[in-house]
Amino acid sequence: MISEKEKSLTGKLYKASDEELARERRIARELVFRYNSLAPGETEERSSIIRQLFARTGARFLIEPPFYCDYGCNISIGENFYANYNLTILDCAATEIGNNVLIGPNVGIYPAGHPVYPELRLAELEFAFPVRIGNNVWIGGSTVINPGITIGNNTVIGSGSIVTKDIPSDVVAAGNPCRVIRSIMVKDKKYYFRDLEV
């Protein structure tokens, strides 16, 4: 018989109140509480907690506290990962983030979701679909990334975006719902407000 955890990791409806899942969330919350309670100078201890919590990390990463997640064990981050304050990842399914990714403050990455049909919600059923973020991505502050989304390499997501569909590589995308505004071009090397040289 398939477990509720296996259902959650394979996109099937599952009960989050399941004993195994509840125990794993408690373990993650203890680690997250410790992480968020550390003094600013305790960077080695913070890194150690993230390595315990996540499935995989690169050698170099920085996540500004406070940080929140459901399980942690479903999160993978690559090299040179940076997240500003108040990153929340509801990692009821795999959340895979590539190398050189920058995440602004107050970003929510939400693989978890609830059924639209009310009787299924009342039965306490949930679902989760993986989120994948490629290499060299910058996600602006207060962005929300919904279940099942893939964001391609080198892409920039503008602040305040609500990402409801996959976003390809090498583009600037923004809005609610988030949509591609334009491709990233060579001339962008010279552009920053007033065409300043890089």
Side-chain angles (χ1 to χ4, degrees):
M1 184 172 165
I2 187 168
S3 70
E4 297 302 305
K5 180 176 180 177
E6 290 169 315
K7 290 177 188 175
S8 75
L9 295 173
T10 55
K12 296 179 173 61
L13 289 173
Y14 71 96
K15 286 208 171 191
S17 58
D18 172 71
E19 186 177 318
E20 178 185 18
L21 292 174
R23 183 176 62 251
E24 289 189 7
R25 284 195 305 275
R26 279 194 302 274
I27 292 167
R29 285 179 182 155
E30 289 291 335
L31 288 169
V32 166
F33 179 82
R34 283 174 42 205
Y35 183 86
N36 290 331
S37 300
L38 288 169
E42 296 182 271
T43 54
E44 288 300 318
E45 178 66 17
R46 281 208 307 270
S47 294
S48 175
I49 289 171
I50 292 297
R51 287 189 179 98
Q52 290 175 61
L53 193 59
F54 286 8
R56 180 182 56 81
T57 71
R60 294 182 59 216
F61 59 87
L62 177 58
I63 301 172
E64 303 283 4
F67 163 74
Y68 303 98
C69 67
D70 275 339
Y71 299 95
C73 61
N74 297 320
I75 301 170
S76 298
I77 59 174
E79 287 293 340
N80 303 316
F81 175 79
Y82 176 78
N84 215 317
Y85 309 111
N86 285 317
L87 172 62
T88 299
I89 303 178
L90 303 184
D91 62 311
C92 302
T95 304
E96 299 172 0
I97 301 173
N99 299 323
N100 308 308
V101 171
L102 302 174
I103 295 182
N106 304 310
V107 167
I109 301 174
Y110 304 146
H114 299 276
V116 171
Y117 196 69
E119 288 181 13
L120 295 174
R121 287 199 309 277
L122 292 172
E124 299 180 355
L125 292 170
E126 300 180 13
F127 65 86
F129 301 138
V131 169
R132 294 181 175 87
I133 298 170
N135 298 320
N136 314 316
V137 171
W138 173 23
I139 298 171
S142 299
T143 291
V144 170
I145 300 172
N146 282 324
I149 296 298
T150 295
I151 296 173
N153 296 330
N154 309 314
T155 284
V156 175
I157 305 294
S159 61
S161 295
I162 311 295
V163 187
T164 60
K165 294 183 179 176
D166 290 352
I167 303 293
S169 296
D170 303 305
V171 299
V172 176
N176 180 7
C178 187
R179 63 197 180 285
V180 173
I181 295 172
R182 64 178 179 85
S183 295
I184 293 172
M185 298 170 279
V186 173
K187 74 175 186 176
D188 287 317
K189 283 182 76 172
K190 296 184 178 180
Y191 180 79
Y192 187 75
F193 288 109
R194 295 183 305 276
D195 291 331
L196 300 178
E197 290 289 340
V198 175

